[in-house]
Amino acid sequence: MKDMLKQARPDCFEDIIALVALYRPGPMDLIPEFCKRKHGAAFSYPHPATKPILQETYGIMVYQEQVMQIAQVVAGYSLGSADLLRRAMGKKKQEEMDAQRAMFIEGATKMGTSERQATELFNLMDKFAGYGFNKSHAAAYALVAYQTAHLKTHYPAAFLAATMSADMNNTDNIHIFVEDCAPNKVEVLA
């Protein structure tokens, strides 16, 4: 996690939210690309209509809501239908996915997207949706992470004492916290 944050150098709360959502098995592979794009690497959007949806995440699908918005904008899904698509993608039931694929491609072609591009976009969404994270959940975790970092930075002695007190029965964790005291200029007394 620390290496990821050093690489990403988040400069706004939205970056922290996205990194929380990406720091899980599956999407973790996208972190280096996310960081490159954040720091200026060129990238393109999977479809022109996805730019306003994927702009804050540098063209990478990070949240479940983005999949739903793409289905609405590109293929004309209603909000309810987009949620059914999201659920079907998460469950990976083949017959549901086949039906959703056909519906997405049909809707996208009616709205002016080529069948090839619609298929490529659906495949990208399908790949993502298996590990997509809800943005509101990521935001809640990001807020706790931000508050924790603030407390550790500005009140290191109180933070480390409270952390050790909360976990005093777990000697493995206590050892980690004690080792963290010296770099934070906190003296540990017997």
mmCIF file of all heavy atoms in Angstrom, residues 154-187:
data_model
loop_
_atom_site.group_PDB
_atom_site.id
_atom_site.type_symbol
_atom_site.label_atom_id
_atom_site.label_comp_id
_atom_site.label_asym_id
_atom_site.label_seq_id
_atom_site.Cartn_x
_atom_site.Cartn_y
_atom_site.Cartn_z
ATOM 1 N N HIS A 154 0.002 13.999 12.615
ATOM 2 C CA HIS A 154 -0.046 15.150 13.516
ATOM 3 C C HIS A 154 -0.061 14.790 15.010
ATOM 4 O O HIS A 154 0.260 15.639 15.845
ATOM 5 C CB HIS A 154 -1.251 16.030 13.162
ATOM 6 C CG HIS A 154 -1.145 16.600 11.787
ATOM 7 N ND1 HIS A 154 -0.274 17.606 11.448
ATOM 8 C CD2 HIS A 154 -1.767 16.255 10.635
ATOM 9 C CE1 HIS A 154 -0.377 17.884 10.162
ATOM 10 N NE2 HIS A 154 -1.277 17.071 9.636
ATOM 11 N N TYR A 155 -0.426 13.566 15.339
ATOM 12 C CA TYR A 155 -0.477 13.123 16.736
ATOM 13 C C TYR A 155 0.123 11.721 16.849
ATOM 14 O O TYR A 155 -0.560 10.780 17.274
ATOM 15 C CB TYR A 155 -1.928 13.120 17.241
ATOM 16 C CG TYR A 155 -2.640 14.430 17.032
ATOM 17 C CD1 TYR A 155 -3.491 14.622 15.941
ATOM 18 C CD2 TYR A 155 -2.441 15.507 17.905
ATOM 19 C CE1 TYR A 155 -4.132 15.829 15.728
ATOM 20 C CE2 TYR A 155 -3.084 16.718 17.698
ATOM 21 C CZ TYR A 155 -3.929 16.876 16.612
ATOM 22 O OH TYR A 155 -4.559 18.074 16.405
ATOM 23 N N PRO A 156 1.386 11.548 16.454
ATOM 24 C CA PRO A 156 1.942 10.193 16.371
ATOM 25 C C PRO A 156 1.954 9.436 17.698
ATOM 26 O O PRO A 156 1.636 8.240 17.726
ATOM 27 C CB PRO A 156 3.350 10.405 15.823
ATOM 28 C CG PRO A 156 3.671 11.832 16.093
ATOM 29 C CD PRO A 156 2.366 12.560 16.079
ATOM 30 N N ALA A 157 2.300 10.092 18.792
ATOM 31 C CA ALA A 157 2.365 9.390 20.083
ATOM 32 C C ALA A 157 0.979 8.898 20.502
ATOM 33 O O ALA A 157 0.806 7.728 20.864
ATOM 34 C CB ALA A 157 2.966 10.299 21.161
ATOM 35 N N ALA A 158 -0.002 9.780 20.441
ATOM 36 C CA ALA A 158 -1.369 9.395 20.822
ATOM 37 C C ALA A 158 -1.907 8.326 19.879
ATOM 38 O O ALA A 158 -2.545 7.349 20.320
ATOM 39 C CB ALA A 158 -2.278 10.622 20.824
ATOM 40 N N PHE A 159 -1.642 8.481 18.577
ATOM 41 C CA PHE A 159 -2.125 7.514 17.602
ATOM 42 C C PHE A 159 -1.528 6.134 17.860
ATOM 43 O O PHE A 159 -2.248 5.127 17.904
ATOM 44 C CB PHE A 159 -1.810 7.972 16.179
ATOM 45 C CG PHE A 159 -2.175 6.958 15.136
ATOM 46 C CD1 PHE A 159 -3.493 6.826 14.712
ATOM 47 C CD2 PHE A 159 -1.222 6.097 14.609
ATOM 48 C CE1 PHE A 159 -3.842 5.871 13.770
ATOM 49 C CE2 PHE A 159 -1.561 5.133 13.670
ATOM 50 C CZ PHE A 159 -2.879 5.024 13.250
ATOM 51 N N LEU A 160 -0.207 6.067 18.010
ATOM 52 C CA LEU A 160 0.442 4.771 18.215
ATOM 53 C C LEU A 160 0.046 4.154 19.553
ATOM 54 O O LEU A 160 -0.149 2.940 19.656
ATOM 55 C CB LEU A 160 1.953 4.911 18.082
ATOM 56 C CG LEU A 160 2.416 5.152 16.635
ATOM 57 C CD1 LEU A 160 3.846 5.667 16.592
ATOM 58 C CD2 LEU A 160 2.275 3.880 15.813
ATOM 59 N N ALA A 161 -0.103 4.977 20.593
ATOM 60 C CA ALA A 161 -0.541 4.453 21.897
ATOM 61 C C ALA A 161 -1.947 3.871 21.791
ATOM 62 O O ALA A 161 -2.219 2.777 22.305
ATOM 63 C CB ALA A 161 -0.496 5.560 22.950
ATOM 64 N N ALA A 162 -2.833 4.585 21.122
ATOM 65 C CA ALA A 162 -4.210 4.098 20.964
ATOM 66 C C ALA A 162 -4.244 2.826 20.126
ATOM 67 O O ALA A 162 -4.978 1.877 20.444
ATOM 68 C CB ALA A 162 -5.074 5.180 20.322
ATOM 69 N N THR A 163 -3.445 2.786 19.063
ATOM 70 C CA THR A 163 -3.404 1.615 18.195
ATOM 71 C C THR A 163 -2.897 0.398 18.970
ATOM 72 O O THR A 163 -3.456 -0.692 18.857
ATOM 73 C CB THR A 163 -2.507 1.895 16.969
ATOM 74 O OG1 THR A 163 -2.999 3.059 16.314
ATOM 75 C CG2 THR A 163 -2.535 0.747 15.993
ATOM 76 N N MET A 164 -1.823 0.605 19.761
ATOM 77 C CA MET A 164 -1.292 -0.506 20.559
ATOM 78 C C MET A 164 -2.291 -0.949 21.622
ATOM 79 O O MET A 164 -2.446 -2.147 21.861
ATOM 80 C CB MET A 164 0.035 -0.109 21.211
ATOM 81 C CG MET A 164 1.186 -0.104 20.236
ATOM 82 S SD MET A 164 2.758 0.099 21.067
ATOM 83 C CE MET A 164 3.151 1.762 20.589
ATOM 84 N N SER A 165 -2.962 -0.009 22.242
ATOM 85 C CA SER A 165 -3.947 -0.349 23.273
ATOM 86 C C SER A 165 -5.098 -1.149 22.683
ATOM 87 O O SER A 165 -5.588 -2.093 23.308
ATOM 88 C CB SER A 165 -4.500 0.918 23.934
ATOM 89 O OG SER A 165 -3.480 1.589 24.627
ATOM 90 N N ALA A 166 -5.513 -0.781 21.481
ATOM 91 C CA ALA A 166 -6.635 -1.475 20.844
ATOM 92 C C ALA A 166 -6.260 -2.892 20.434
ATOM 93 O O ALA A 166 -7.135 -3.744 20.290
ATOM 94 C CB ALA A 166 -7.117 -0.684 19.632
ATOM 95 N N ASP A 167 -4.964 -3.137 20.249
ATOM 96 C CA ASP A 167 -4.514 -4.437 19.739
ATOM 97 C C ASP A 167 -3.542 -5.120 20.695
ATOM 98 O O ASP A 167 -2.707 -5.912 20.280
ATOM 99 C CB ASP A 167 -3.848 -4.222 18.374
ATOM 100 C CG ASP A 167 -4.214 -5.283 17.357
ATOM 101 O OD1 ASP A 167 -4.984 -6.194 17.707
ATOM 102 O OD2 ASP A 167 -3.735 -5.187 16.213
ATOM 103 N N MET A 168 -3.654 -4.807 21.990
ATOM 104 C CA MET A 168 -2.645 -5.259 22.954
ATOM 105 C C MET A 168 -2.551 -6.783 23.102
ATOM 106 O O MET A 168 -1.530 -7.292 23.546
ATOM 107 C CB MET A 168 -2.844 -4.602 24.316
ATOM 108 C CG MET A 168 -4.088 -5.023 25.063
ATOM 109 S SD MET A 168 -4.217 -4.358 26.735
ATOM 110 C CE MET A 168 -4.046 -2.626 26.497
ATOM 111 N N ASN A 169 -3.550 -7.526 22.729
ATOM 112 C CA ASN A 169 -3.504 -8.980 22.843
ATOM 113 C C ASN A 169 -2.846 -9.652 21.636
ATOM 114 O O ASN A 169 -2.651 -10.861 21.635
ATOM 115 C CB ASN A 169 -4.908 -9.550 23.045
ATOM 116 C CG ASN A 169 -5.495 -9.126 24.378
ATOM 117 O OD1 ASN A 169 -4.768 -8.952 25.357
ATOM 118 N ND2 ASN A 169 -6.800 -8.929 24.417
ATOM 119 N N ASN A 170 -2.512 -8.896 20.625
ATOM 120 C CA ASN A 170 -1.885 -9.445 19.417
ATOM 121 C C ASN A 170 -0.421 -8.993 19.376
ATOM 122 O O ASN A 170 -0.105 -7.924 18.879
ATOM 123 C CB ASN A 170 -2.639 -8.977 18.171
ATOM 124 C CG ASN A 170 -2.139 -9.638 16.910
ATOM 125 O OD1 ASN A 170 -1.010 -10.095 16.832
ATOM 126 N ND2 ASN A 170 -3.001 -9.662 15.904
ATOM 127 N N THR A 171 0.470 -9.834 19.890
ATOM 128 C CA THR A 171 1.881 -9.442 20.008
ATOM 129 C C THR A 171 2.544 -9.208 18.655
ATOM 130 O O THR A 171 3.462 -8.399 18.551
ATOM 131 C CB THR A 171 2.683 -10.490 20.804
ATOM 132 O OG1 THR A 171 2.503 -11.777 20.197
ATOM 133 C CG2 THR A 171 2.257 -10.527 22.258
ATOM 134 N N ASP A 172 2.094 -9.894 17.617
ATOM 135 C CA ASP A 172 2.670 -9.664 16.285
ATOM 136 C C ASP A 172 2.427 -8.222 15.841
ATOM 137 O O ASP A 172 3.330 -7.557 15.319
ATOM 138 C CB ASP A 172 2.077 -10.626 15.253
ATOM 139 C CG ASP A 172 2.494 -12.075 15.482
ATOM 140 O OD1 ASP A 172 3.530 -12.282 16.151
ATOM 141 O OD2 ASP A 172 1.786 -12.979 15.008
ATOM 142 N N ASN A 173 1.198 -7.746 16.045
ATOM 143 C CA ASN A 173 0.888 -6.367 15.671
ATOM 144 C C ASN A 173 1.585 -5.367 16.583
ATOM 145 O O ASN A 173 2.051 -4.323 16.114
ATOM 146 C CB ASN A 173 -0.618 -6.126 15.676
ATOM 147 C CG ASN A 173 -1.309 -6.744 14.483
ATOM 148 O OD1 ASN A 173 -0.662 -7.246 13.572
ATOM 149 N ND2 ASN A 173 -2.625 -6.718 14.488
ATOM 150 N N ILE A 174 1.662 -5.655 17.870
ATOM 151 C CA ILE A 174 2.335 -4.753 18.813
ATOM 152 C C ILE A 174 3.788 -4.561 18.373
ATOM 153 O O ILE A 174 4.315 -3.441 18.384
ATOM 154 C CB ILE A 174 2.263 -5.286 20.265
ATOM 155 C CG1 ILE A 174 0.806 -5.272 20.765
ATOM 156 C CG2 ILE A 174 3.169 -4.480 21.196
ATOM 157 C CD1 ILE A 174 0.189 -3.899 20.906
ATOM 158 N N HIS A 175 4.419 -5.649 17.961
ATOM 159 C CA HIS A 175 5.802 -5.584 17.501
ATOM 160 C C HIS A 175 5.926 -4.626 16.308
ATOM 161 O O HIS A 175 6.854 -3.805 16.241
ATOM 162 C CB HIS A 175 6.285 -6.995 17.127
ATOM 163 C CG HIS A 175 7.670 -7.046 16.593
ATOM 164 N ND1 HIS A 175 8.770 -6.865 17.388
ATOM 165 C CD2 HIS A 175 8.136 -7.225 15.330
ATOM 166 C CE1 HIS A 175 9.859 -6.939 16.654
ATOM 167 N NE2 HIS A 175 9.493 -7.164 15.393
ATOM 168 N N ILE A 176 4.994 -4.697 15.380
ATOM 169 C CA ILE A 176 4.996 -3.806 14.207
ATOM 170 C C ILE A 176 4.825 -2.350 14.650
ATOM 171 O O ILE A 176 5.534 -1.460 14.179
ATOM 172 C CB ILE A 176 3.882 -4.208 13.205
ATOM 173 C CG1 ILE A 176 4.202 -5.573 12.588
ATOM 174 C CG2 ILE A 176 3.701 -3.152 12.119
ATOM 175 C CD1 ILE A 176 3.047 -6.195 11.830
ATOM 176 N N PHE A 177 3.916 -2.115 15.592
ATOM 177 C CA PHE A 177 3.661 -0.750 16.062
ATOM 178 C C PHE A 177 4.865 -0.202 16.821
ATOM 179 O O PHE A 177 5.210 0.975 16.681
ATOM 180 C CB PHE A 177 2.409 -0.696 16.936
ATOM 181 C CG PHE A 177 1.146 -1.103 16.212
ATOM 182 C CD1 PHE A 177 0.198 -1.892 16.847
ATOM 183 C CD2 PHE A 177 0.898 -0.702 14.912
ATOM 184 C CE1 PHE A 177 -0.960 -2.276 16.197
ATOM 185 C CE2 PHE A 177 -0.265 -1.076 14.249
ATOM 186 C CZ PHE A 177 -1.203 -1.872 14.904
ATOM 187 N N VAL A 178 5.510 -1.028 17.630
ATOM 188 C CA VAL A 178 6.690 -0.586 18.378
ATOM 189 C C VAL A 178 7.805 -0.208 17.390
ATOM 190 O O VAL A 178 8.476 0.809 17.566
ATOM 191 C CB VAL A 178 7.157 -1.667 19.386
ATOM 192 C CG1 VAL A 178 8.522 -1.337 19.963
ATOM 193 C CG2 VAL A 178 6.136 -1.811 20.507
ATOM 194 N N GLU A 179 7.990 -1.015 16.357
ATOM 195 C CA GLU A 179 9.000 -0.691 15.338
ATOM 196 C C GLU A 179 8.665 0.610 14.612
ATOM 197 O O GLU A 179 9.564 1.303 14.131
ATOM 198 C CB GLU A 179 9.120 -1.824 14.320
ATOM 199 C CG GLU A 179 9.875 -3.029 14.832
ATOM 200 C CD GLU A 179 10.022 -4.115 13.780
ATOM 201 O OE1 GLU A 179 9.407 -4.018 12.689
ATOM 202 O OE2 GLU A 179 10.762 -5.077 14.048
ATOM 203 N N ASP A 180 7.410 0.953 14.541
ATOM 204 C CA ASP A 180 6.969 2.175 13.874
ATOM 205 C C ASP A 180 7.177 3.405 14.756
ATOM 206 O O ASP A 180 7.096 4.536 14.268
ATOM 207 C CB ASP A 180 5.492 2.030 13.491
ATOM 208 C CG ASP A 180 5.073 2.949 12.363
ATOM 209 O OD1 ASP A 180 5.954 3.437 11.628
ATOM 210 O OD2 ASP A 180 3.858 3.177 12.208
ATOM 211 N N CYS A 181 7.448 3.206 16.027
ATOM 212 C CA CYS A 181 7.595 4.348 16.944
ATOM 213 C C CYS A 181 8.864 5.146 16.651
ATOM 214 O O CYS A 181 8.827 6.380 16.614
ATOM 215 C CB CYS A 181 7.583 3.855 18.386
ATOM 216 S SG CYS A 181 5.935 3.360 18.934
ATOM 217 N N ALA A 182 10.017 4.499 16.501
ATOM 218 C CA ALA A 182 11.274 5.204 16.318
ATOM 219 C C ALA A 182 11.262 6.163 15.127
ATOM 220 O O ALA A 182 11.616 7.340 15.285
ATOM 221 C CB ALA A 182 12.441 4.217 16.204
ATOM 222 N N PRO A 183 10.834 5.710 13.927
ATOM 223 C CA PRO A 183 10.815 6.658 12.810
ATOM 224 C C PRO A 183 9.832 7.825 13.021
ATOM 225 O O PRO A 183 9.964 8.864 12.388
ATOM 226 C CB PRO A 183 10.373 5.823 11.607
ATOM 227 C CG PRO A 183 10.296 4.416 12.033
ATOM 228 C CD PRO A 183 10.474 4.366 13.512
ATOM 229 N N ASN A 184 8.879 7.643 13.912
ATOM 230 C CA ASN A 184 7.906 8.701 14.212
ATOM 231 C C ASN A 184 8.290 9.499 15.458
ATOM 232 O O ASN A 184 7.482 10.249 15.985
ATOM 233 C CB ASN A 184 6.505 8.092 14.366
ATOM 234 C CG ASN A 184 5.913 7.696 13.041
ATOM 235 O OD1 ASN A 184 5.540 8.570 12.265
ATOM 236 N ND2 ASN A 184 5.855 6.409 12.757
ATOM 237 N N LYS A 185 9.541 9.280 15.929
ATOM 238 C CA LYS A 185 10.080 10.008 17.091
ATOM 239 C C LYS A 185 9.217 9.843 18.334
ATOM 240 O O LYS A 185 8.944 10.779 19.071
ATOM 241 C CB LYS A 185 10.278 11.478 16.747
ATOM 242 C CG LYS A 185 11.287 11.688 15.623
ATOM 243 C CD LYS A 185 11.393 13.152 15.254
ATOM 244 C CE LYS A 185 12.386 13.381 14.158
ATOM 245 N NZ LYS A 185 12.071 12.903 12.853
ATOM 246 N N VAL A 186 8.740 8.609 18.537
ATOM 247 C CA VAL A 186 7.942 8.285 19.720
ATOM 248 C C VAL A 186 8.752 7.311 20.551
ATOM 249 O O VAL A 186 9.186 6.267 20.085
ATOM 250 C CB VAL A 186 6.594 7.648 19.314
ATOM 251 C CG1 VAL A 186 5.826 7.178 20.537
ATOM 252 C CG2 VAL A 186 5.753 8.624 18.504
ATOM 253 N N GLU A 187 8.977 7.698 21.819
ATOM 254 C CA GLU A 187 9.738 6.856 22.730
ATOM 255 C C GLU A 187 8.809 5.815 23.355
ATOM 256 O O GLU A 187 7.706 6.164 23.814
ATOM 257 C CB GLU A 187 10.376 7.714 23.820
ATOM 258 C CG GLU A 187 11.288 6.962 24.737
ATOM 259 C CD GLU A 187 11.900 7.846 25.819
ATOM 260 O OE1 GLU A 187 11.603 9.046 25.844
ATOM 261 O OE2 GLU A 187 12.648 7.311 26.636
#
